[in-house]
Amino acid sequence: MKGYYFITDSRLSRAGNISDVMEAAACKVDAVQYRNKNAETREMYEEALHLREICRDLTFLINDRIDIALAVGADGVHLGQTDMPCKTAREMLGEEKIIGVTVHNLFEALVAKRDGADYLGVSPIFQTATKSDAGKPAGIALIEEIRRKVDIPLIAIGGINLSNAPEVIGAGADGLCAISCVVESDDVSAQINRFQDLF
């Protein structure tokens, strides 16, 4: 998993999740994570089913919801620290599915790796307004610290933009996500390609 990692955000998006994901797929991102915390289960299922078809040639992950991931045949899930434990999710999903875990410190990173995570979302690197419960920014030092101890891919998230992305990559991140500056843009694909070019 490398390069720009796309996460949907229907609250911020100008064009909507379907359009955004089509743009991301056209840009050949490695992974798309479908996150929609405001949708009812049926609505989320139906949108995820549509997005799954768009993402046939790339890694398609569902945020939080193991049931939705299984129902639509997603490649895996992304879990936060208050979601289903990674170890339990691995038992439910089996070895073939991808599991990503958001971590905020080295201890959480080591636990996630031990419990079967395939990659880590390291967050938040910088101050972010996209996620209200993101926590205190850790800076690139957290990426460097985790990189020294963990050998699975690290995806940096939180307050990342085109100006600070190079230092994030330099610190050891395999990929990064910048939500607001992409989905709020008039040209989603152009923004994604600018990040992709950094890799």
Side-chain angles (χ1 to χ4, degrees), residues 17-187:
N17 289 338
I18 301 297
S19 176
D20 288 345
V21 170
M22 289 177 69
E23 298 281 2
C27 292
K28 302 189 186 307
V29 299
D30 271 1
V32 166
Q33 181 194 137
Y34 174 50
R35 184 169 75 188
N36 192 343
K37 293 182 179 290
N38 300 315
E40 297 291 340
T41 297
R42 182 64 175 265
E43 177 188 352
M44 189 175 181
Y45 164 73
E46 290 177 350
E47 187 169 44
L49 204 58
H50 191 168
L51 296 178
R52 165 76 281 189
E53 289 304 312
I54 297 169
C55 297
R56 281 294 171 193
D57 295 327
L58 51 92
T59 300
F60 181 59
L61 307 168
I62 304 290
N63 181 261
D64 298 351
R65 299 287 299 271
I66 293 173
D67 57 336
I68 299 290
L70 288 169
V72 303
D75 297 300
V77 296
H78 186 87
L79 304 171
Q81 290 297 313
T82 59
D83 296 325
M84 182 78 70
C86 180
K87 188 175 182 180
T88 305
R90 178 58 71 200
E91 291 169 357
M92 294 173 68
L93 292 170
E95 294 300 319
E96 72 282 358
K97 295 293 186 181
I98 296 168
I99 299 177
V101 177
T102 295
V103 300
H104 310 96
N105 54 56
L106 178 59
F107 175 76
E108 290 177 354
L110 293 173
V111 170
K113 171 67 164 56
R114 179 200 69 194
D115 289 348
D118 295 294
Y119 75 93
L120 304 177
V122 183
S123 170
I125 304 306
F126 305 112
Q127 189 68 44
T128 177
T130 303
K131 201 165 183 282
S132 59
D133 60 347
K136 183 180 178 181
I140 62 169
L142 180 59
I143 302 171
E144 294 170 335
E145 182 182 30
I146 295 174
R147 179 79 292 162
R148 287 193 291 268
K149 301 288 185 177
V150 176
D151 60 359
I152 59 178
L154 305 181
I155 306 298
I157 185 171
I160 297 171
N161 54 46
L162 286 164
S163 298
N164 58 34
E167 62 179 310
V168 169
I169 297 168
D174 299 281
L176 58 80
C177 178
I179 299 174
S180 57
C181 69
V182 169
V183 301
E184 291 181 334
S185 168
D186 290 326
D187 193 335

